[in-house]
Amino acid sequence: MTVECFSEDGVASLPVYLVGKGGIDDARLDADVRRWIGETGFRGSAGEVMLLPDNKGALAGAILGTGDDKPGTPFITAHLARKLPEGNWHLATDAGDDGTLALGFALGHYRFDRYRKADRHAPRLVCPTSADRSQVERIAAACYLTRDLVNTPVNDMGPVELEAGLRALAKTYGASVEATIGDELLAKNFPMIHTVGRASVAPPRLLDLQWGRDDAPKVTLVGKGVCFDTGGLDIKPAAGMLLMKKDMGGAAHVMGLASMIMDARLPVRLRVLIPAVENAISGNAFRPSDILTSRKGLTVEIGNTDAEGRLVLADAMALADEEEPELMIDMATLTGAARVALGPDLPPFYCTSDSFASALLDAAENVHDPVWRMPLFDPYDRNLSSSVADLNNAPAGGMAGSVIAALFLRRFVEKAKEWAHFDIYAWNPKEKPHAPVGGEAQAIRALYEMLSRRFPA
């Protein structure tokens, strides 16, 4: 995926001045600009954009207010991508981290226009010379890919189309993809992936991408690919189904993260596993109280068919664990409990390594991609108990839902040296300068930053 928000070097462009509150006294600005600011009442509020005319009434530039530069607005230049008229622009004042400023513009430039014409042509920015343009474009393209996948409805993004998307990504970077489809899942011992997806007209499948040298450190990404979730026989209410096209958000996220890893040629042996299914309803749908035998051999009593994501992840994670990766990361739109605890913008993660958590939190702060560590609280593990099976996928009680889901997944990880689970939302419910309402990439910029430090190219 290409990012087309930057002008080519050497093109004529108009200046954008970044001005905080009280900017009328900014000595870096031309006297005429300061006079115009004063006479128009420009306040320099964060995101405030004002166009500047020349003495003939032609467009001469623009001013972007940066406010008080409070934390939480690192991508202030995203406002430019949404408010400037078409044309080429450049930043005329030094405002700090040029890489972040360039990425903010790129993220704000995103539009999901697959199903309708774009309402206008967007402006372009001359990428600041001190910014690493290839890195900015790599990260922005991954976020675009993730957003596009999540935004696409299931009629165009079912298991078949998700496989096609992964194969296209693999082709770009010379990776291989194998797919285990339909009843072949039973033959190759992925019974829970088969059970969850068998009621759909689109056969369930396990997608397996591999890239990199065999002797490199093994990094495995597992993404929940439930392309639509009705809830199964424990059917969701209508309101609960409205956003269920995003239930493959985990798959979209690991694809976005994989694109950055491969594009940067990090020295790892990358594996991406995506159980791609639709949790549909038909005569052969699985039922509450069914008992499933997992790939790992653990038996699972079905307490609720709407807790299907952890079932398909468990089989995929068991496969990943068999080859003892140095690092296994799974990402999933797994629980509403995570949203109750931390809201839509702060994804929780669980991990078995304090050093991993520390490195990730530092990386997240550095790239303005917030995450929050949650506890794998061992006493709650007993809540997974069943009187008729090894564990229950949705035990009664309703408390600590995100923690208990993470503990369920931990049962399927033994050999991986480090494991981390991300319970993401994958959706932006309110307009932000750098993110429209819709699919959103969460935690993958932080993960890429951490991996780049750990495995430098």
Side-chain angles (χ1 to χ4, degrees), residues 270-308:
L270 177 67
R271 190 177 195 184
V272 179
L273 294 170
I274 296 175
V277 303
E278 182 183 359
N279 188 20
I281 300 172
S282 71
N284 67 341
F286 73 118
R287 298 157 291 259
S289 79
D290 280 357
I291 298 176
L292 311 182
T293 300
S294 67
R295 177 181 182 83
K296 190 176 177 64
L298 293 172
T299 55
V300 181
E301 179 186 10
I302 302 304
N304 193 307
T305 63
D306 196 19
E308 84 298 331

Side-chain angles (χ1 to χ4, degrees), residues 5-6 27 29 75 117 168 179 203 205 237 264 281 292 371 398 445:
C5 62
F6 295 124
L29 298 178
F75 299 125
K117 281 187 176 181
R205 60 204 64 211
I281 300 172
L292 311 182
V371 293
R445 292 186 293 106

Side-chain angles (χ1 to χ4, degrees), residues 133-151:
R133 178 171 172 174
S134 62
Q135 176 84 316
V136 170
E137 291 182 332
R138 175 182 302 128
I139 295 170
C143 293
Y144 284 20
L145 172 63
T146 302
R147 289 171 173 180
D148 278 355
L149 289 168
V150 174
N151 282 327

Side-chain angles (χ1 to χ4, degrees), residues 220-263:
T220 300
L221 311 178
V222 185
K224 174 185 170 184
V226 178
C227 296
F228 194 84
D229 181 19
T230 65
L233 292 176
D234 288 311
I235 191 169
K236 294 177 182 291
M241 258 190 262
L242 284 175
L243 287 182
M244 282 303 100
K245 68 177 183 179
K246 78 173 184 67
D247 214 22
M248 41 63 70
H253 276 66
V254 297
M255 288 171 66
L257 178 56
S259 75
M260 288 187 278
I261 292 170
M262 293 188 291
D263 192 72

